[in-house]
Amino acid sequence: MAKKRTQEEIDLINRRQARKEELRNRKVNEQNRQVRLGVIIVGGLILAILAFAGINEWLIQPGRAVANVNGEEITLREWQDRVQYERAQLIILLENQLEAFGGDVGIIQQFAGQQIGQLLDEEGFGQGVLDAMVDEAIVRQAAADRGITVTEADIDAEIGGIYNFFDGDVPTPRPTATETIMPTPSLTPIPTEVITEVFPTNTPFPTATMRPTGTPAPTATAVSQESFNEQYGEFLDRLGQFNTNEALFRSTIEQSLYRERLADAIAEEEELSSIAPHASYFNLTFGTEEEANEALALIAADGYLTVWNTIRSLTPDPQSTSTADASEIVWRTQDSIEAIAGALIAEAAFSTPIDTPSELLIQEGADGNIYTIIMVSGREDRELSEAQVNQLKQERLASFLATELNVQRFFEVYNGRAPRTPVLDPLFLAPPTATPGIPTGDDGN
């Protein structure tokens, strides 16, 4: 029979059990405390990392330079704001065009497909905006060196002019078109309508500064203050809908004025003349060497103008296999002729003796060789048109900008950061409606 424990022994066992329990609780509490401390430390580190990332993304990164132009920085924030503004301008333009064409998306896709593509290429769009901002910085610096300024009043006047609001002033009259004097050939042509053929030009023109879209067509009729306020207010409301603002719009107007005034100053410095040599010539073109050689033989026998008149007077015949074409180019500069007809023709127009047929001029075309025979009817120095003078000014300005090479772009800062907003309405990306098929009658209908 087991010995019965005394109360003292029972109390000792209970004290030992309580001690073990206390030690176990202390160990568990210590472990829990360490776990909580670890969670707090890890949580604190995560919060610190997130806070740093937020500070870096919203405070530090926007102030970093995406480009440095002769010591002047363009920041990430400035670039992103400008990209959003330019996207908004282009989207407003497309939406206005869609409204003008009665909601026909197919027409917009056909004629504004390039602009739609630009909006879809966010990085390429952003790069183009940055290039423009770099040029603008160079223009501002060059203008400052020459004492050129643009005031707020200048900007106000320019914006008013866009909407035909002149605040009581008389709008500047448009230049009167100068009558084109047609050269008189030595042999009277057969009485037909003389048509000056205009070829498509590949000469690059400066990118136009974005302006408010949907403004009225230019007109000499000035609008009232009330009408201006209404139209301009509507435009600013549209900008606001795309999270951009008037300040950016005014900035682009300011840049366009600086560019225009710097171009004038450079033209004056370089003593750009408004007079240039021009030439007029008769033009015969052929798609085959055989036809061109036959024409050369006829010219030798009957004279250039007789052959030119004969070809020019032919009635169009869809069944004809002839590739001959006769046209007349009237008073063009060498650069202009080169743009419309190629360098070889331009050189011949200014080197071939007057009233003398040229040799056979062979140029490569899209569908094979083009064979040309010209006869110069006149050459003289003439006044350039206002458009030609402006183009020359822009070409001089472009050359000046190309020489300003102290420019750094920081690709690692702006790469992948081009804004994708505002977003083009998916309506513009919808496939065009298919044209209904013509019933074949196989079903008996």
Side-chain angles (χ1 to χ4, degrees), residues 32-155:
N32 290 339
R33 189 184 68 81
Q34 290 179 356
V35 169
R36 287 193 298 269
L37 182 60
V39 170
I40 291 172
I41 292 173
V42 172
L45 289 174
I46 292 174
L47 288 175
I49 292 171
L50 292 175
F52 176 78
I55 292 172
N56 180 64
E57 185 67 24
W58 300 106
L59 296 178
I60 298 176
Q61 286 294 336
R64 293 185 65 187
V66 295
N68 186 300
V69 185
N70 297 317
E72 178 183 339
E73 290 186 344
I74 300 172
T75 68
L76 179 64
R77 179 183 289 108
E78 291 170 336
W79 172 67
Q80 289 178 326
D81 287 347
R82 180 66 177 274
V83 171
Q84 287 185 300
Y85 167 79
E86 297 293 352
R87 288 182 66 88
Q89 279 277 38
L90 193 48
I91 289 174
I92 292 173
L93 173 64
L94 291 171
E95 289 180 346
N96 287 345
Q97 289 179 338
L98 184 63
E99 182 180 354
F101 284 101
D104 191 331
V105 175
I107 293 179
I108 305 303
Q109 292 173 335
Q110 180 180 357
F111 292 101
Q114 181 178 359
Q115 288 79 1
I116 293 174
Q118 288 174 346
L119 289 168
L120 298 178
D121 178 15
E122 294 91 354
E123 295 302 319
F125 191 92
Q127 183 65 61
V129 171
L130 180 58
D131 292 342
M133 294 179 74
V134 167
D135 280 354
E136 290 168 358
I138 297 172
V139 167
R140 285 195 308 272
Q141 293 166 4
D145 291 341
R146 292 163 173 79
I148 298 171
T149 60
V150 173
T151 67
E152 291 298 313
D154 294 333
I155 299 172

Side-chain angles (χ1 to χ4, degrees), residues 215-284:
T215 56
T219 173
T221 303
V223 302
S224 66
Q225 175 81 58
E226 181 180 2
S227 177
F228 166 71
N229 290 340
E230 180 181 354
Q231 294 181 67
Y232 187 49
E234 289 175 356
F235 170 68
L236 296 181
D237 287 343
R238 295 288 296 278
L239 288 182
Q241 293 169 9
F242 291 109
N243 295 320
T244 187
N245 54 55
E246 182 184 14
L248 282 166
F249 169 60
R250 291 180 67 86
S251 174
T252 59
I253 296 296
E254 179 185 37
Q255 294 299 336
S256 70
L257 290 173
Y258 271 122
R259 186 183 184 96
E260 179 182 317
R261 294 176 185 185
L262 179 61
D264 290 339
I266 291 175
E268 185 175 346
E269 292 168 4
E270 297 183 1
E271 299 181 347
L272 179 66
S273 176
S274 62
I275 297 176
H278 287 64
S280 288
Y281 63 92
F282 296 98
N283 189 75
L284 288 172

Side-chain angles (χ1 to χ4, degrees), residues 135 138-139 142 146 204 206 259 262-263 266-267 270 272 335 390-405:
D135 280 354
I138 297 172
V139 167
R146 292 163 173 79
R259 186 183 184 96
L262 179 61
I266 291 175
E270 297 183 1
L272 179 66
D335 286 343
N390 286 335
Q391 181 178 341
L392 289 175
K393 288 180 179 179
Q394 293 302 322
E395 289 173 355
R396 299 291 195 279
L397 177 60
S399 297
F400 170 79
L401 294 175
T403 63
E404 297 294 311
L405 302 179

Side-chain angles (χ1 to χ4, degrees), residues 293-307 357:
N293 287 328
E294 289 176 0
L296 282 174
L298 291 173
I299 289 171
D302 303 328
Y304 185 96
L305 286 178
T306 299
V307 176

